[in-house]
Every structure is written in C-alpha cells, then in structure tokens.
Amino acid sequence: MARIDELRAEAKAMQAYLEVNVGGGDVEQYIERLDTLGVYYARSGAIHAEVVGLIDSAIAKAMGDNMELIATLPASLVQKYIKGATAELNGLERWIDRINASCNKQCDNLRTLISYEKQRAQIL
C-alpha cells in the first residue's frame, strides 16, 4: 500500500496547485504557471496509467484468490465484488483523471490569457 500512498500524496500536491487562482495580468506569472502545469499534465497522465495497471493487478489478484467463491456467484455479484475490491484504486484513478483534465483546461485558459495580454499590450 505504500505506493498507493505515494501516488495519493503526489495527487494531493497537484490538486493543491490547481486550486490556486492566478490573476493580475502578469504574463510572466502566466507563462511560469503554464510551464508547471505542462509538467503536471504529463506526470498526472503517467500516474493515471500506473493506477490503471494497479487496478488490473488488483482485479487479477481478487479473482485468483477467490476463484472458488467467484465461480458460484452470478455475474452481477462478481462485478460488485470486484468493484468493492478495487474501490480505493478506482477512486484514486478517477481523481487523477480529473487532475489531468484540469491541467489541460488550465493550460488552455492560460494560453488565452497570455494572448489577451499580448493583444492588450499592442493596443496600448
């Protein structure tokens, strides 16, 4: 479980960064944040892939460890059993997926703000 805790801590740090509002029209600050978000975007994609792999491994382990029980259950109960066995990882996977999407959206927004500031500087 140590790896899951490491991934959760990394996601928590990214989430905290994403929740900071950048304002004031400082283009240099926008560019610096855009650069950092690009790193977080790539890292959250890599973490997401790792968590999906951990989910697949957890499913295989749950199936292998409980094959006799699973063989007696209807498919709908097997799905619920697996969902329960991987609930923690599934929650982490969804969270990291949303972090990844937020990085993308914030990058788009920052590029728009940078373009706006460039246009405004030309007008003035």
Side-chain angles (χ1 to χ4, degrees):
M1 285 298 201
R3 183 62 184 147
I4 295 170
D5 292 336
E6 291 171 7
L7 295 171
R8 187 175 286 112
E10 198 169 348
K12 186 176 181 179
M14 285 185 232
Q15 183 73 40
Y17 186 81
L18 290 166
E19 291 177 359
V20 172
N21 188 17
V22 177
D26 182 8
V27 174
E28 293 302 318
Q29 189 178 20
Y30 292 161
I31 292 170
E32 181 180 324
R33 184 169 177 88
L34 184 61
D35 196 38
T36 301
L37 284 169
V39 173
Y40 282 167
Y41 185 53
R43 182 66 189 139
S44 62
I47 292 172
H48 184 261
E50 184 176 349
V51 171
V52 169
L54 291 172
I55 291 169
D56 292 343
S57 295
I59 290 171
K61 182 173 178 9
M63 295 289 285
D65 291 350
N66 301 294
M67 190 55 88
E68 290 179 15
L69 170 67
I70 289 172
T72 65
L73 297 174
S76 61
L77 287 180
V78 171
Q79 288 176 341
K80 288 182 182 192
Y81 175 79
I82 296 300
K83 188 175 181 180
T86 59
E88 181 181 12
L89 286 170
N90 285 327
L92 183 59
E93 185 269 334
R94 282 188 296 276
W95 183 25
I96 292 171
D97 180 60
R98 300 319 315 151
I99 287 172
N100 187 265
S102 294
C103 288
N104 184 24
K105 297 296 183 190
Q106 285 194 19
C107 285
D108 289 345
N109 188 39
L110 284 168
R111 283 191 288 273
T112 300
L113 289 171
I114 291 166
S115 294
Y116 170 78
E117 291 299 329
K118 284 172 57 178
Q119 286 292 339
R120 194 169 77 146
Q122 288 177 355
I123 293 171
L124 300 176

